[in-house]
Amino acid sequence: MLIKEVCVENFTKIPAAIRNGAKRIELNDNLAVGGTTVSRGVMAESVRYAHEHDVPVMVMIRPRGGNFVYNDQELKIMEADIFSAQELGADGIVLGCLTPDNQIDEEAMEMLIGAANGMQVVFHMAFDEIAADQQAAAMEWLIDHDVKRILTHGGPLDAPIDESRLKTLIQAADGRIVILPGGGITADNVDALTERLQISEAHGTKVVGTL
């Protein structure tokens, strides 16, 4: 079965997304800047509604738009938001921390993965900021730290999705971590794309049609 993960802003579009076939929700605020963390109230209602329909919810943990280099105060905010997500019953969190030279910020990630305390952890499109020749090593680090999925466009978001790059990542992952393609995937192209890549999950705001 194809798992269509729908990226939504706030609660408003969740009912329509689930009606149209969403099998997982990625919950965000501020999609115009790539997604940030929603309020506690939005998180609570979204998780409650989705779980009533047996749909898991992944909560974006990101305190602001911009880059993925976070200071100590921002990491404290992210940790608190993870605790809220866990308390409210979210199934997982979506995050990504980088160093100024676009490597995984291992110290920050270890702290936040620890805060997740067994929830699913997804590394988001910050992965695409890592140099292509360093992504294999980054993937191994994420696998070693029990990260479940990597959300990736295969390259810059302003370019078409890079299927050859995604194939390389999928082969390197070898079933040890899910490569979740996103960015430019719609209800019209999702079936053909996932078939070509031989994968069973895809992510997008329009992956189940217009909401």
Side-chain angles (χ1 to χ4, degrees), residues 58-78:
M58 310 299 296
V59 174
M60 175 64 71
I61 303 294
R62 190 174 174 220
R64 55 163 173 78
N67 66 23
F68 305 106
V69 181
Y70 300 111
N71 62 33
D72 288 346
Q73 286 85 2
E74 289 170 330
L75 290 170
K76 236 180 246 181
I77 292 166
M78 294 168 80

Side-chain angles (χ1 to χ4, degrees), residues 13-135:
K13 293 183 176 178
I14 288 177
I18 291 173
R19 275 198 310 275
N20 290 352
K23 297 300 181 193
R24 193 166 60 225
I25 297 292
E26 185 195 83
L27 180 62
N28 297 264
D29 200 357
N30 298 313
L31 283 179
V33 298
T36 58
T37 306
V38 297
S39 73
R40 184 181 171 88
V42 169
M43 202 185 293
E45 185 59 20
S46 300
V47 170
R48 184 200 64 76
Y49 184 93
H51 283 184
E52 279 183 357
H53 295 81
D54 298 319
V55 172
V57 177
M58 310 299 296
V59 174
M60 175 64 71
I61 303 294
R62 190 174 174 220
R64 55 163 173 78
N67 66 23
F68 305 106
V69 181
Y70 300 111
N71 62 33
D72 288 346
Q73 286 85 2
E74 289 170 330
L75 290 170
K76 236 180 246 181
I77 292 166
M78 294 168 80
E79 184 181 47
D81 286 338
I82 290 170
F83 291 149
S84 288
Q86 188 165 56
E87 183 192 336
L88 294 170
D91 300 273
I93 55 169
V94 183
L95 76 171
C97 304
L98 299 177
T99 60
D101 60 347
N102 286 336
Q103 304 287 316
I104 290 176
D105 184 337
E106 297 180 1
E107 189 179 345
M109 285 297 298
E110 281 175 355
M111 183 192 87
L112 298 175
I113 290 168
N117 195 26
M119 297 169 81
Q120 292 182 29
V121 177
V122 178
F123 198 89
H124 60 42
M125 286 186 187
F127 189 80
D128 294 333
E129 303 286 319
I130 300 169
D133 62 355
Q134 296 170 343
Q135 286 182 344

Side-chain angles (χ1 to χ4, degrees), residues 152-165:
T152 173
H153 186 64
L157 259 181
D158 55 3
I161 198 159
D162 188 339
E163 290 188 38
S164 65
R165 182 72 201 141

Side-chain angles (χ1 to χ4, degrees), residues 3 5 24 56 58 91-95 109 113 116 118-124 139-151 173-180 201:
I3 297 172
E5 178 180 279
R24 193 166 60 225
M58 310 299 296
D91 300 273
I93 55 169
V94 183
L95 76 171
M109 285 297 298
I113 290 168
M119 297 169 81
Q120 292 182 29
V121 177
V122 178
F123 198 89
H124 60 42
M139 184 191 297
E140 293 302 324
W141 190 93
L142 295 170
I143 290 166
D144 288 346
H145 288 79
D146 297 321
V147 172
K148 190 164 182 67
R149 292 185 286 281
I150 296 171
L151 176 61
D174 195 24
R176 298 170 300 154
I177 191 169
V178 174
I179 301 300
L180 178 63
E201 303 188 21

